[in-house]
Amino acid sequence: MTFSAGQSIMQTIESPKSMRTDAIAAWQRGKTTALIQSKGFDSAVFTITVGHEKHRFTAHATYLSQSPVLDRMCHGRFKESHDSLIDLPDDDPTVIKALIQYLYSGNFLDFGTMESGHGSAGANDQLSDIYVTAEKYQMLDLKDLVVEKLKAVTDVEDRPVEFLTTAQKIYGNVPEERPDAYREYFKKCATQLPKPGSMSKPVYAVWLESLSYGGPLAVDLTIALANMYNEALQDLADSSTENEKLIMQLENTKMNLTWENGDLKKLMSREKEEKRGMAQAAADWKDGHRARGEKIAELQAVVAKERLQHGLLMSRHDAIHGCCKLCGIAQGNEGFDDVNGGGV
């Protein structure tokens, strides 16, 4: 969305169709503010020419007077006040358009973000230009708003070059003698930059260039670097403490394992003794079993011998008994009873 020559800022505010969906809410808030301040529409209308090509805008004096610098142009004893014409030859028309939108609505459309995408270099360039212009016209609330928008589109870790080039532009146009919204933001975010030893060549080149600017930018960068190393040292100290605790745990574990190993050795020695005793008992049992076997064999041999002798005796007995029986028959059984009774 761009202004044509002679287009009024009011035409822009009352034309939401060309806005992005996510900007309509901001436009509505701005319109409500404008309605509340409707008395401003009764004030004088100034023509504003911007840049060497004289882009033209119109705005009411009451709204322009929110800027102390523009207020002096509208109401002071200057040519601008007499002619109702303000000439800004050194400013960018796109930036002045955003500035006038902010004066009327309390917000402005992020043209750079819309054209280049969220977090793009275009958004950072546009916002840094608006910030510098807000500083020029002493619009502190607009500077605060720009810082909030920079927070939304700036990724220090992924785009450190854009972050540093934006800082160069803003620091070069901000007085050193008073606190500044962007400086406070920069000091917090600068600690997210890569450390010099891990920077890529392009980042390192811009970082050195930023230091060469001197002044507050170099001071804030140096402080951020010191804070980064302090955090790194603290992390190292914390890591050392954790390592010491881990070493103590390992020593305790080693001691416990040594004790357990000693107990295990004792147990293994006891098991060996038990196994040795069991082996000896088994050997003794085998020796006893063998001795018992030999004794049994010996006894069996004696029994067999005794049975053999008993058989021989029985055979002899039977033979004697047969002879006696025959002798008794021959003698008429005389003396048989004695022989039969064992009296022979």
Side-chain angles (χ1 to χ4, degrees):
M1 181 175 65
T2 58
F3 286 117
S4 59
Q7 184 179 5
S8 168
I9 186 65
M10 294 309 300
Q11 291 176 304
T12 303
I13 291 180
E14 294 179 356
S15 302
K17 293 181 181 179
S18 61
M19 297 182 183
R20 290 192 312 175
T21 302
D22 58 356
I24 292 178
W27 172 84
Q28 290 175 336
R29 289 194 299 270
K31 188 169 180 63
T32 301
T33 303
L35 290 173
I36 293 173
Q37 299 175 345
S38 59
K39 63 180 181 179
F41 297 141
D42 298 332
S43 62
V45 176
F46 276 72
T47 298
I48 305 169
T49 59
V50 184
H52 299 295
E53 296 182 1
K54 303 297 181 183
H55 291 268
R56 295 170 65 85
F57 307 96
T58 58
H60 292 84
T62 300
Y63 288 94
L64 293 175
S65 295
Q66 294 177 80
S67 160
V69 177
L70 295 176
D71 179 61
R72 288 193 294 271
M73 291 182 180
C74 293
H75 300 103
R77 295 179 180 180
F78 300 102
K79 182 178 182 297
E80 291 88 349
S81 176
H82 182 269
D83 297 339
S84 295
L85 175 66
I86 299 175
D87 185 29
L88 306 176
D90 298 326
D91 290 317
D92 185 328
T94 303
V95 174
I96 295 301
K97 176 174 60 177
L99 184 145
I100 296 174
Q101 280 189 338
Y102 174 77
L103 289 173
Y104 274 87
S105 67
N107 204 345
F108 61 87
L109 297 182
D110 303 339
F111 299 105
T113 305
M114 291 170 62
E115 295 168 3
S116 306
H118 180 81
S120 67
N124 281 274
D125 287 341
Q126 181 216 17
L127 291 171
S128 60
D129 288 339
I130 294 175
Y131 192 92
V132 170
T133 304
E135 170 63 33
K136 177 180 178 180
Y137 294 107
Q138 300 178 14
M139 299 171 64
L140 302 183
D141 291 341
L142 177 56
K143 290 170 61 176
D144 292 338
L145 176 61
V146 171
V147 169
E148 292 303 315
K149 289 180 178 289
L150 280 170
K151 290 178 182 178
V153 300
T154 303
D155 191 327
V156 180
E157 295 181 359
D158 289 345
R159 294 186 175 90
V161 172
E162 293 175 16
F163 177 71
L164 289 172
T165 53
T166 299
Q168 291 175 7
K169 182 186 296 185
I170 292 178
Y171 269 80
N173 292 276
V174 173
E176 302 180 14
E177 63 273 7
R178 67 169 182 265
D180 181 76
Y182 180 80
R183 283 191 63 185
E184 295 304 315
Y185 159 71
F186 178 84
K187 283 188 272 188
K188 291 180 181 179
C189 293
T191 55
Q192 301 174 27
L193 287 167
K195 294 181 178 63
S198 60
M199 288 181 180
S200 63
K201 289 184 178 180
V203 176
Y204 188 64
V206 178
W207 185 75
L208 287 178
E209 182 182 8
S210 301
L211 287 177
S212 70
Y213 272 55
L217 178 56
V219 171
D220 292 344
L221 265 180
T222 303
I223 292 174
L225 180 63
N227 290 336
M228 280 193 287
Y229 279 109
N230 284 338
E231 291 177 2
L233 289 173
Q234 184 60 46
D235 292 341
L236 183 60
D238 294 341
S239 177
S240 298
T241 302
E242 291 298 324
N243 288 337
E244 290 177 0
K245 292 180 180 179
L246 181 59
I247 290 173
M248 292 182 62
Q249 291 177 356
L250 291 175
E251 289 292 339
N252 291 334
T253 302
K254 180 181 177 181
M255 187 178 299
N256 292 334
L257 289 175
T258 301
W259 290 340
E260 292 178 1
N261 189 36
D263 293 340
L264 183 60
K265 286 182 178 179
K266 291 178 181 178
L267 180 61
M268 292 175 65
S269 177
R270 189 179 303 115
E271 288 182 351
K272 287 182 179 179
E273 290 295 332
E274 291 178 356
K275 288 181 178 179
R276 190 180 296 112
M278 292 174 65
Q280 184 62 43
D284 293 343
W285 183 85
K286 288 181 178 179
D287 291 343
H289 181 68
R290 188 183 305 109
R292 285 191 295 274
E294 291 175 353
K295 186 66 175 177
I296 290 171
E298 181 180 349
L299 290 174
Q300 287 176 343
V302 171
V303 169
K305 183 178 181 181
E306 290 295 330
R307 285 180 176 176
L308 180 59
Q309 291 179 354
H310 180 267
L312 292 174
L313 288 174
M314 289 299 295
S315 297
R316 185 175 180 186
H317 177 272
D318 291 340
I320 294 171
H321 182 71
C323 290
C324 292
K325 189 175 180 180
L326 291 173
C327 289
I329 295 173
Q331 297 177 9
N333 293 327
E334 188 176 325
F336 177 77
D337 292 333
D338 292 335
V339 174
N340 196 32
V344 178

